[in-house]
Amino acid sequence: MAKQFTRRSSKPTLIAADEGLTGHAVLGATIGNMLEFYDFGTYSFFAIQIGHTFLPAKDQFASLMLSLATFGAGFVTRPIGAIVIGSYSDRVGRRPAMTASFVMMSAAILVLAVTPSYDTIGIAAPLLVVFARLVQGFALGGEVGPTTAYLLEAAPAGRRGLAVSFQPASQQIAATAGALVGEVLSLTMTSESLDAYGWRIAFLLGACTLPFGLWLRRALPETLHRPEAPALAVEPARKLRASRMMSLGLVILASCTIITYITEYMTTYALNTLQVAAPLAFATTVVANAVGIVAALLGGWLADRAGRRPIMIWPQIAALLMTYPVFLWIAESRSPMALLAGLGALTLVGTIPYSAFYVGMAEGLPKSIRGGAFATIYAVAIAIFGGTAQLVVAWLTHVTGNALAPAWYMLVATAAGLCAMLMMPETAPRNVRAAANTRSP
């Protein structure tokens, strides 16, 4: 992490961030991030309908698997986008990198929304959809790193946790918006209409907001060359910490993305596996993601007060203990109460640790590589585990015939994340300053 030291002392030198910049920075960065994740996440909510439109198959399971595989194609280009756009943000600036990502997402979502069906243009239809997904993946690969770096650099030291928590919160907002659109469409349209063109409405609604998001991003002030404080460690320790952060961060982000995409898969899971009505299936995701918004912001707020490590570790332990009982309740009762309250409670507890991790990870990386390093680690974790999470869960559920299959995979991911969190160093300015003062003679 970029730090500032005096020549005569290894203690941190504090330089206050511009308080007035924070609100504008958070609004511009998170609205753009929210719009992009809305476009990307909406695909998973309408995986069944998209499969019927572009990827016809002999049976419903094969069509779903083809659709999910196409969804996973968007993760292949994420690491490439992370390296290209992330490094661009470290060399040129956060704002131009975020703007470039947004423009590419705009083009991709429009292609996806207007591509004719397989019945109309044949094999060209799935090829265009895969191309759009690849472009979306490239754009999103370079989105998270620069955005997270921007939020951290724009915030005062004592409010970094809350500022950075708007990154995961904006993703939850996007998922909630997509699920709400799906809920409204499922209540107001017949199954045939939803299958034929209803899902396109959801994508076009997202596309309508793109000019506003682009305008917001282009108006953001730059943070790359702003003075930054506080210092967290002396130079040799900083190098060790950055290397350690990157290794642990990869494990934690893998855990986070598996849990996130299993949660987003719950609409399809509720429809296909639990055989519940469409309105209840979409409501499940709406409630879980709405709770996730609150949990993400709460996690950042707590991280500013109690430090990064405690807010990572203790809620993660609680989530580990809750996962199997909650899914058992859902699978056995298949009731609205189990789906809404059970998944909502699990999301509340399970989302809190990752806000603390986001800010701790960003604080632990040198500013000169922060955007690219964070983006690359995030993209690699998502490409390997996020792109396959829904496929793995769908496959496990199909071959075992057991509705608890999502819980098994989520338990493994939660446990792996907890192990890595236990090895994470503390990076909160208050805690690090206290440790530095204790070590001083």
Side-chain angles (χ1 to χ4, degrees):
M1 179 179 179
K3 307 173 183 74
Q4 307 221 349
F5 295 87
T6 64
R7 294 184 178 180
R8 299 180 181 179
S9 172
S10 62
K11 293 182 180 180
T13 301
L14 302 182
I15 301 177
D18 181 359
E19 296 277 349
L21 176 60
T22 305
H24 185 195
V26 167
L27 178 62
T30 57
I31 284 183
N33 195 52
M34 177 184 67
L35 296 178
E36 293 201 25
F37 272 89
Y38 169 88
D39 297 335
F40 200 83
T42 297
Y43 188 104
S44 66
F45 295 127
F46 294 98
I48 295 173
Q49 292 78 14
I50 293 172
H52 293 165
T53 303
F54 299 117
L55 306 158
K58 294 181 179 179
D59 61 73
Q60 185 174 352
F61 174 71
S63 178
L64 173 61
M65 292 300 285
L66 285 171
S67 180
L68 292 177
T70 303
F71 176 74
F75 293 88
V76 174
T77 49
R78 279 203 177 197
I80 303 172
I83 294 170
V84 174
I85 301 176
S87 61
Y88 180 71
S89 79
D90 291 328
R91 289 183 293 105
V92 179
R94 313 304 186 197
R95 182 181 62 187
M98 292 190 293
T99 302
S101 172
F102 200 88
V103 169
M104 285 184 283
M105 177 61 69
S106 304
I109 191 64
L110 288 173
V111 169
L112 188 60
V114 302
T115 297
S117 68
Y118 182 90
D119 293 338
T120 303
I121 61 173
I123 192 64
L127 290 178
L128 283 171
V129 171
V130 170
F131 174 75
R133 295 299 297 169
L134 292 174
V135 173
Q136 281 183 313
F138 183 89
L140 276 177
E143 165 69 17
V144 174
T147 301
T148 304
Y150 188 89
L151 291 170
L152 181 80
E153 292 158 7
R159 286 164 47 195
R160 285 175 176 172
L162 182 59
V164 173
S165 71
F166 277 91
Q167 164 63 264
S170 68
Q171 298 178 29
Q172 295 285 356
I173 292 170
T176 303
L180 278 171
V181 169
E183 176 78 356
V184 171
L185 292 176
S186 69
L187 288 171
T188 57
M189 302 180 72
T190 64
S191 297
E192 293 77 14
S193 297
L194 193 65
D195 206 56
Y197 63 88
W199 63 270
R200 294 183 189 270
I201 296 174
F203 282 101
L204 289 172
L205 286 173
C208 289
T209 61
L210 292 170
F212 177 64
L214 182 60
W215 172 76
L216 276 175
R217 287 212 159 169
R218 293 186 66 180
L220 288 175
E222 184 55 66
T223 64
L224 179 60
H225 305 296
R226 297 178 70 235
E228 181 173 288
L232 300 184
V234 294
E235 192 72 17
R238 181 182 73 175
K239 295 178 181 178
L240 293 174
R241 175 165 292 173
S243 174
R244 185 182 184 187
M245 281 285 184
M246 293 175 73
S247 300
L248 296 176
L250 184 62
V251 176
I252 297 172
L253 284 169
S255 169
C256 176
T257 191
I258 289 171
I259 294 168
T260 297
Y261 282 96
I262 289 177
T263 301
E264 289 190 5
Y265 180 71
M266 290 305 292
T267 294
T268 301
Y269 170 78
L271 288 170
N272 267 19
T273 303
L274 303 182
Q275 301 292 318
V276 304
L280 176 58
F282 280 107
T284 299
T285 307
V286 171
V287 170
N289 288 319
V291 170
I293 298 169
V294 177
L297 297 175
L298 178 61
W301 183 82
L302 290 172
D304 282 331
R305 282 149 183 80
R308 318 313 186 205
R309 291 189 79 250
I311 305 306
M312 281 190 279
I313 293 169
W314 292 110
Q316 189 79 352
I317 292 173
L320 184 66
L321 297 175
M322 289 174 60
T323 298
Y324 190 81
V326 167
F327 271 90
L328 184 63
W329 182 26
I330 291 172
E332 289 189 348
S333 70
R334 307 191 180 196
S335 66
M337 178 61 72
L339 280 164
L340 301 178
L343 190 62
L346 184 59
T347 302
L348 175 65
V349 174
T351 302
I352 288 174
Y354 295 102
S355 290
F357 162 73
Y358 266 65
V359 66
M361 176 75 176
E363 285 174 326
L365 292 171
K367 188 174 185 179
S368 59
I369 64 167
R370 182 179 293 145
F374 195 106
T376 301
I377 296 167
Y378 184 93
V380 169
I382 292 240
I384 297 173
F385 298 98
T388 58
Q390 298 186 359
L391 276 170
V392 169
V393 169
W395 178 79
L396 280 175
T397 304
H398 180 74
V399 298
T400 65
N402 194 320
L404 291 174
W408 304 338
Y409 199 27
M410 191 178 284
L411 278 171
V412 172
T414 304
L418 176 61
C419 291
M421 288 172 180
L422 288 168
M423 294 184 281
M424 284 281 287
E426 181 60 77
T427 63
R430 183 180 306 170
N431 300 66
V432 174
R433 287 199 301 272
N437 291 334
T438 301
R439 290 193 299 268
S440 300

